[in-house]
Amino acid sequence: FKKAVDRAGTTLMQKTGQIERTVDREFADEESRYKQFEKETVALQKESKAYLEAMRSMTAAQARLAATIDTFYGAADRNSDGAMAGHAYKRSVEDLDAAITREFDQPYRTTILEPVGKMCSLFPMVNETIAKREKKMLDYDSARSRLRKLIDKPSEDPTKLPKAQQENDEAKEIFDMLNDQLIAELPQLLDLRIPYFDPSFEAMIRMQVKFAEEGYEKLGGVQRYFSESVRDDYAAGQLDAQVEGVLQEMKELSICGA
């Protein structure tokens, strides 16, 4: 508790210019780079979780949409091409929705969410070391200030100066050790982030490609329920005119009239 009070007093006196504050530009630069890396990694963790949730929501919404379309076409004519296409679409998207849980969810957690989470778990320990350095720096600044005062204005007690010198040297040694450690190891931590995240990035791309390919394969099979003319009209950009024509027929019905 006493140390905490002393450090608070040192901080206050530094703000008022009564005690000089140690400034290490090299450490400040490395800390700034580390803080940016921490911010980006925490954001990566958040967005990675959001991506998985979005994939689940997308396939679930697609399954609900397919169920509605299947009901919509089935209510009109269960033997029509549209009804068969609607039912095939429903089966396809249900398979994709199940695949998210079966083939995507757990691998995504293992190869992406867990590695990112483990990286984020290191930050509290690094931050604790940085906070410890700050405390030891305040101790050193305070000891150095007391030593300078005794040098500038010697005390009648001859034991005070040697004691102040010893306290200064000890405080400086502890601070230098932590400061040098952080200056040396913070860049190493940042350099290791690329080889650490490379496998996760590759795994994410592979999973996305696989999901897209399966989706293309399953949904592509639904097209066979549409006539060749529909596919040709779609390719030729003629479907818009057909849709507008049907809409006009609806508008001409008396119940849709103005």
Side-chain angles (χ1 to χ4, degrees), residues 24-237:
D24 188 318
R25 179 50 53 193
E26 187 177 8
F27 169 78
D29 290 342
E30 296 300 342
E31 183 188 27
S32 177
R33 292 178 62 224
Y34 160 73
K35 288 297 184 183
Q36 183 63 30
F37 166 57
E38 179 186 20
K39 179 181 177 181
E40 292 169 352
T41 307
V42 170
L44 178 62
Q45 183 183 42
K46 178 182 177 181
E47 295 305 326
S48 297
K49 290 179 179 178
Y51 174 79
L52 180 58
E53 291 171 0
M55 289 292 289
R56 288 173 177 166
S57 297
M58 184 270 292
T59 57
Q62 196 174 29
R64 292 193 298 271
L65 175 63
T68 302
I69 291 174
D70 183 42
T71 302
F72 180 80
Y73 276 103
D77 183 357
R78 290 187 176 278
N79 296 318
S80 68
D81 290 342
M84 288 188 287
H87 187 62
Y89 176 64
K90 180 174 178 287
R91 287 200 313 269
S92 296
V93 297
E94 284 175 346
D95 288 344
L96 288 174
D97 188 36
I100 280 289
T101 301
R102 184 180 65 253
E103 302 174 7
F104 194 94
D105 193 302
Q106 189 56 47
Y108 186 86
R109 289 179 177 278
T110 302
T111 60
I112 296 167
L113 292 184
E114 288 181 9
V116 174
K118 288 177 180 177
M119 174 61 76
C120 288
S121 71
L122 297 178
F123 295 142
M125 292 179 282
V126 177
N127 292 335
E128 184 178 343
T129 303
I130 292 174
K132 185 176 181 181
R133 173 200 177 273
E134 176 71 16
K135 293 176 181 177
K136 297 306 179 183
M137 185 186 72
L138 289 172
D139 293 343
Y140 169 50
D141 290 347
S142 178
R144 184 182 59 218
S145 176
R146 291 195 300 271
L147 176 62
R148 287 180 178 174
K149 287 179 180 178
L150 284 170
I151 292 174
D152 294 341
K153 189 178 180 180
S155 171
E156 294 181 359
D157 186 347
T159 64
K160 284 190 175 182
L161 182 58
K163 182 180 178 182
Q165 183 68 60
Q166 182 180 359
E167 290 175 350
N168 175 82
D169 294 345
E170 290 175 353
K172 183 178 186 302
E173 182 180 0
I174 295 172
F175 167 71
D176 285 344
M177 181 184 66
L178 283 172
N179 192 57
D180 293 344
Q181 179 187 25
L182 285 164
I183 289 174
E185 294 186 2
L186 284 177
Q188 295 177 37
L189 177 64
L190 267 64
D191 289 343
L192 290 170
R193 73 190 188 279
I194 299 302
Y196 180 78
F197 282 133
D198 270 350
S200 294
F201 181 52
E202 181 180 357
M204 182 181 69
I205 297 301
R206 289 182 180 277
M207 281 186 282
Q208 287 182 344
V209 169
K210 182 180 180 182
F211 182 79
E213 289 176 343
E214 289 183 358
Y216 180 80
E217 180 182 350
K218 291 183 181 299
L219 295 177
V222 180
Q223 293 188 79
R224 66 189 178 89
Y225 293 98
F226 295 104
S227 67
E228 290 290 339
S229 62
V230 172
R231 292 199 291 271
D232 292 341
D233 289 345
Y234 175 78

